[in-house]
Amino acid sequence: GAVVSQHPSRVICKSGTSVKIECRSLDFQATTMFWYRQFPKKSLMLMATSNEGSKATYEQGVEKDKFLINHASLTLSTLTVTSAHPEDSSFYICSAPGAQDTGELFFGEGSRLTVL
Amino acid sequence: AQSVTQPDIHITVSEGASLELRCNYSYGATPYLFWYVQSPGQGLQLLLKYFSGDTLVQGIKGFEAEFKRSQSSFNLRKPSVHWSDAAEYFCAVYRNDMRFGAGTRLTVKP
């Protein structure tokens, strides 16, 4: 099946710094990728839809200047958490639809961000 | 409003007992339906999915789910739970994007 890889799996940073998380589709092309955020013991909340070659679409309440998304190629989307603060600490998960538009998403392993 | 509801936040069952996790959705038309499982600190693994056709779908690890249009439900079942099934289970629906229910945490007693 299709594989989506995220990197890094864990990152710890100081408050005020920026952190970049990469999401790659390894064996297929993804014109669209989805970024989710998951708080401890909570569900996944869709943050934004990343579109190759165009601007991302953000969900209501998600700060686009805080969470910068770039989808520069058909296999790579990046999420940059800018000027991170402790409240940005979370588990971030990306996903991409499979080759056929069946709605099935393939998920990355997730990235645990801890902001000190 | 479109929504996915998992009424049970936490369920505890004994090993070997049967399991049913509930999921209800509220969408204008039948969306694509999924069940995912997540172990602590891990990503999501797809258990099964429903697009159309037979309303009883079989998944991995002995799980199955039944789609009931009249009840807008897609409940997950397993006849005999194993200790390794302890995890968080998410029901999800897809129209233009994937939306998740709040999740049900499954604890398995020895």
Side-chain angles (χ1 to χ4, degrees):
Chain A
V3 178
V4 174
S5 179
Q6 264 183 260
H7 178 80
S9 58
R10 294 178 181 271
V11 56
I12 300 173
C13 69
K14 293 182 179 180
S15 186
T17 61
S18 294
V19 174
K20 179 185 286 187
I21 300 170
E22 295 185 344
C23 179
R24 295 181 184 273
S25 55
L26 296 186
D27 50 359
F28 66 104
Q29 294 182 332
T31 56
T32 299
M33 290 185 175
F34 300 100
W35 285 96
Y36 292 86
R37 180 174 181 176
Q38 186 178 31
F39 292 99
K41 300 186 186 298
K42 297 292 185 182
S43 187
L44 285 76
M45 302 300 297
L46 180 64
M47 297 175 64
T49 302
S50 170
N51 302 298
E52 187 270 333
S54 64
K55 292 182 179 180
T57 303
Y58 290 81
E59 294 298 302
Q60 190 173 8
V62 178
E63 299 176 63
K64 59 182 67 176
D65 294 330
K66 158 70 79 174
F67 300 101
L68 299 179
I69 291 174
N70 183 280
H71 195 151
S73 79
L74 289 171
T75 59
L76 174 63
S77 175
T78 60
L79 168 68
T80 301
V81 183
T82 63
S83 186
H85 288 89
E87 58 265 30
D88 299 324
S89 299
S90 195
F91 194 56
Y92 294 89
I93 306 176
C94 72
S95 66
Q100 296 179 327
D101 187 21
T102 58
E104 181 174 355
L105 297 184
F106 297 96
F107 286 84
E109 308 92 329
S111 299
R112 169 81 55 197
L113 170 63
T114 302
V115 184
L116 303 177
Chain B
Q2 298 176 338
S3 65
V4 186
T5 303
Q6 291 180 248
D8 305 305
I9 296 174
H10 184 203
I11 284 182
T12 300
V13 300
S14 298
E15 190 168 16
S18 63
L19 170 71
E20 182 170 33
L21 303 182
R22 296 182 290 166
C23 174
N24 294 93
Y25 65 90
S26 174
Y27 276 71
T30 302
Y32 298 144
L33 299 161
F34 304 83
W35 275 99
Y36 286 90
V37 60
Q38 184 182 36
S39 297
Q42 301 296 313
L44 279 77
Q45 182 180 24
L46 178 67
L47 287 176
L48 46 77
K49 58 195 175 190
Y50 173 78
F51 297 150
S52 65
D54 193 346
T55 57
L56 183 64
V57 294
Q58 302 297 320
I60 62 171
K61 302 184 178 184
F63 286 93
E64 66 177 27
E66 185 172 13
F67 167 62
K68 293 185 177 180
R69 185 187 304 276
S70 61
Q71 299 177 18
S72 295
S73 69
F74 188 56
N75 294 348
L76 181 71
R77 300 194 294 247
K78 186 169 184 177
S80 177
V81 170
H82 188 263
W83 65 267
S84 61
D85 293 325
E88 189 85 20
Y89 290 81
F90 293 99
C91 178
V93 301
Y94 181 90
R95 285 297 299 275
N96 299 311
D97 52 47
M98 186 78 84
R99 304 282 171 160
F100 289 83
T104 299
R105 183 160 59 93
L106 174 65
T107 298
V108 181
K109 294 190 302 184

